[in-house]
Amino acid sequence: MIIEEIMNRDIYSLLPSNTIKDAVHIMREKKIRHLPIVDENNKVVGLITEHDIKNVLPSNLKEDSTLPDYQTPLENIMVKDPIVGHPLDFIEEVALTFYESKISCLPIVSGGQLVGIVTTTDLLYTYIELTGAHKPSSKIDIRATDKPGAMSNIFTTFKQHKVNVLSVLVFPDSEKENSRIISIRAQILNPLSIIHDLRNEGFEVLWPHLPGVQQ
């Protein structure tokens, strides 16, 4: 999946000459926490976040927007030349950028123009949708030997039960070097029969821990 599929195209931005008062007003009115700062050609030159404003106005100055600090130009406090992304960037790459750079939003630029914005909330919603966590389902964690064919054998069991697999995540096994943890979200509310057959096939089911069911 690429960023243009999830980015917000309804962008609110300001100029460097706009003031903190302008930024506070638009953030409150539009219920947003990030504002790209652009020049007259819609080129991203900076970024303002709610956190940046709170650092200047620790208590929002008790809502008194007539005080001098509110007239500070955004170019005085904005993050200049922020990290930007491209609509064709992969979501995994953008998520890594968020993680490594410890940022909360990413302006998306194409042809030198601001075309969208992505936030940590957008990535979280995308993760939930990709994993199927928002649908009625069950999560089954399986320890499997890291060898060819292991995944196929697991899916055969799900196929035999005619159960739809919504997502699959594979993690390193912190306890066994030659194993992997396969986390499957399946469209079934009672996975007991699948768990039973997986164990009969020699797989170790780590989750769910069900009362009365042998691990």
Side-chain angles (χ1 to χ4, degrees), residues 114-131:
L114 176 67
V115 295
I117 189 169
V118 172
T119 69
T120 50
T121 301
D122 298 322
L123 292 179
L124 177 60
Y125 285 162
T126 301
Y127 172 79
I128 291 172
E129 291 178 352
L130 289 176
T131 58

Side-chain angles (χ1 to χ4, degrees), residues 44 57 65 71 75 96 105 111 124 132 134 182:
V44 177
L57 310 173
S65 60
Q71 304 308 315
E75 61 185 349
L96 183 61
C105 79
L124 177 60
H134 61 304
I182 301 172

Side-chain angles (χ1 to χ4, degrees), residues 15-65:
L15 298 169
S17 56
N18 283 117
T19 64
I20 290 178
K21 180 179 179 180
D22 298 326
V24 169
H25 173 75
I26 196 170
M27 283 182 172
R28 288 176 180 169
E29 181 182 355
K30 304 301 181 181
K31 295 181 173 58
I32 57 176
R33 297 183 294 118
H34 313 89
L35 277 172
I37 308 302
V38 299
D39 62 16
E40 294 81 359
N41 298 315
N42 201 36
K43 177 184 177 181
V44 177
V45 295
L47 182 70
I48 289 290
T49 69
E50 185 179 56
H51 180 71
D52 297 325
I53 291 177
K54 285 182 177 179
N55 283 340
V56 180
L57 310 173
S59 60
N60 284 338
L61 296 182
K62 298 181 179 179
E63 309 298 325
D64 187 357
S65 60

Side-chain angles (χ1 to χ4, degrees), residues 1-188:
M1 182 177 285
I2 56 178
I3 282 300
E4 69 176 355
E5 297 180 56
I6 71 165
M7 71 183 188
N8 190 340
R9 301 171 189 270
D10 188 12
I11 321 160
Y12 300 98
S13 61
L14 291 173
L15 298 169
S17 56
N18 283 117
T19 64
I20 290 178
K21 180 179 179 180
D22 298 326
V24 169
H25 173 75
I26 196 170
M27 283 182 172
R28 288 176 180 169
E29 181 182 355
K30 304 301 181 181
K31 295 181 173 58
I32 57 176
R33 297 183 294 118
H34 313 89
L35 277 172
I37 308 302
V38 299
D39 62 16
E40 294 81 359
N41 298 315
N42 201 36
K43 177 184 177 181
V44 177
V45 295
L47 182 70
I48 289 290
T49 69
E50 185 179 56
H51 180 71
D52 297 325
I53 291 177
K54 285 182 177 179
N55 283 340
V56 180
L57 310 173
S59 60
N60 284 338
L61 296 182
K62 298 181 179 179
E63 309 298 325
D64 187 357
S65 60
T66 64
L67 295 176
D69 283 344
Y70 270 89
Q71 304 308 315
T72 302
L74 295 177
E75 61 185 349
N76 290 5
I77 67 167
M78 69 184 187
V79 175
K80 297 181 180 179
D81 299 321
I83 300 172
V84 298
H86 187 274
L88 298 183
D89 287 342
F90 289 109
I91 287 179
E92 299 95 316
E93 296 170 348
V94 170
L96 183 61
T97 298
F98 273 62
Y99 174 76
E100 292 181 339
S101 302
K102 296 180 174 58
I103 57 176
S104 58
C105 79
L106 192 70
I108 306 301
V109 173
S110 179
Q113 304 284 305
L114 176 67
V115 295
I117 189 169
V118 172
T119 69
T120 50
T121 301
D122 298 322
L123 292 179
L124 177 60
Y125 285 162
T126 301
Y127 172 79
I128 291 172
E129 291 178 352
L130 289 176
T131 58
H134 61 304
K135 298 180 179 179
S137 57
S138 296
K139 178 174 175 287
I140 304 174
D141 290 347
I142 306 158
R143 173 177 281 136
T145 303
D146 187 16
K147 64 180 182 181
M151 191 84 78
S152 175
N153 293 336
I154 290 173
F155 286 139
T156 296
T157 301
F158 282 85
K159 182 178 179 180
Q160 290 170 346
H161 285 264
K162 298 181 179 179
V163 171
N164 185 34
V165 173
L166 298 175
S167 67
V168 180
L169 298 174
V170 181
F171 304 97
D173 189 340
S174 59
E175 296 181 8
K176 297 184 178 182
E177 184 178 349
N178 296 323
S179 297
R180 292 291 182 268
I181 306 301
I182 301 172
S183 182
I184 296 177
R185 184 164 292 278
Q187 207 162 13
I188 184 172

